[in-house]
Every structure is written in C-alpha cells, then in structure tokens.
Amino acid sequence: MAGSPLSANVLREVRLSDGSLAVLKLIGEPQSAEASTLATWTAHRVPCAPLLDHGVGTHAPDVTHLLLGKVPGTALPHTEMAPATTQVVGLFRQAHLKPPAEVETLHGFLSPRLHEAVQIWCESGLPSPDDALRVLTDPDIEPVLLHGDAVGFNLLRSGDELALIDPAGVCGPAEFDAARWVARSLTVPARAPWTG
C-alpha cells in the first residue's frame, strides 16, 4: 500500500502487538494538523480512521508519522459521489466541529493557489470573485473543522457506512466542504445514453 502518485506520503499496513491491523502514514514534513483533525474526530466519534499515535521526528528527522486504526471498506468510486451526497452531508455535519488550534485557516491554506487562480480568472475577463471570496475571511462566520479535500477517494465505504480519511487539517466556513464535494461530483463524465 503506497501513497497516491501525487503525494509524497507513504502508507503501510502494520500489525499491532495485539494482532489488530493499523495503517502507518509517513508524511515527509513536520505537520500536526491532520493528526489534530483525526484526534478531534476520534474523540467525538465521527466515523474516520481513528488516530492511535502520532509524532514528528520520532523515526526520522522532519518526518511526521500517524498511526491510524484500519477502517474496513473501499474508496467511494467517483461515479458514486453524487448519489452519496445525502449521506456525505450527514457525515460533514458530524465532522464540522470546533477546530483545534493546530489547524490552519482555509484562507491561509489556499492563499498561494487562490491568488494565482484569481489572477487567471480576472485575466480571462470574468467578473472579480472578490465578493464570493470574502466568505473565507468574514469575521461573522464561525469557522469549523473541515475535511478540506472532500472527494470519493477520501471516503471509505463499508456496506451502508462511510468513514472519512486523509483530511487536509484546515478550518473555515462549513460551505467549503459542500462546494468542493459538489464541484468534484460534477466532474464525473456523463454516461452515454443507452441506444440498445
């Protein structure tokens, strides 16, 4: 079991001293936000990969390790994202908790990519998205703990149950997870009509 080809993370299934299976995730940089997110969710019984242990530099300098309880199931296929939306909304409601101090704000997390995207957007002649982006820094909106990367491969399905994995470790407006989910659901290619 390796990390995504787009990620420097390494994942290994390991057997604990009690015989149970767990997943060891190594992140090639010092990082505590994912661990804080998973610890908060685990404490509040949000269906997720439960955090068993974590640390930075314990086994190698500047490498973060997360030891996670193994969650049964398989990744939710991209083509099943839209039909699972009602269930995912319920899961997000459980997960959108008061954020721990270690998680970054969504605005800070997105900032470099956001500025680049806004520049391209405006250079394309589209109206400025400034009003829409104000929601990221609006002091009247109480930030919540977000998944931050809501997509099918970050959800495991086991029977009728879903569990969250691989959170970005960010906080911000609850609508962000919903917007990202809908946007990614819409990228599923439409099936060709049956011409039987």
Side-chain angles (χ1 to χ4, degrees):
M1 158 188 283
S4 155
L6 302 176
S7 167
N9 300 336
V10 175
L11 300 172
R12 294 285 182 260
E13 191 172 88
V14 296
R15 190 166 300 277
L16 302 178
S17 59
D18 66 0
S20 62
L21 290 176
V23 173
L24 177 64
K25 179 176 182 178
L26 301 176
I27 304 170
E29 63 184 358
Q31 195 259 73
S32 63
E34 184 175 349
S36 295
T37 299
L38 290 170
T40 300
W41 287 348
T42 301
H44 288 85
R45 298 181 186 206
V46 174
C48 69
L51 182 70
L52 305 176
D53 185 41
H54 74 284
V56 178
T58 308
H59 305 290
D62 295 332
V63 172
T64 300
H65 81 269
L66 302 174
L67 185 62
L68 308 169
K70 182 148 173 78
V71 177
T74 57
L76 184 69
H78 202 80
T79 54
E80 293 180 23
M81 284 178 60
T85 296
T86 300
Q87 191 175 4
V88 170
V89 167
L91 190 53
F92 285 160
R93 279 193 185 126
Q94 288 180 278
H96 288 163
L97 300 165
K98 181 178 175 147
E102 295 83 3
V103 300
E104 187 174 12
T105 65
L106 186 59
H107 187 267
F109 177 75
L110 293 175
S111 194
R113 291 168 282 201
L114 194 57
H115 291 303
E116 185 178 322
V118 167
Q119 181 180 350
I120 293 167
W121 181 275
C122 292
E123 287 171 359
S124 299
L126 296 167
S128 171
D130 288 344
D131 286 340
L133 296 176
R134 276 197 192 98
V135 72
L136 296 178
T137 55
D138 187 335
D140 294 329
I141 296 175
E142 188 73 31
V144 297
L145 189 56
L146 299 170
H147 185 284
D149 193 15
V151 69
F153 57 75
N154 283 334
L155 285 163
L156 295 181
R157 180 187 291 277
S158 179
D160 292 333
E161 302 298 317
L162 290 177
L164 297 167
I165 61 170
D166 203 22
V170 294
C171 66
E175 293 81 2
F176 179 80
D177 276 341
R180 189 151 201 176
W181 181 262
V182 169
R184 288 188 165 177
S185 294
L186 291 174
T187 63
V188 177
R191 292 188 181 145
W194 186 71
T195 56

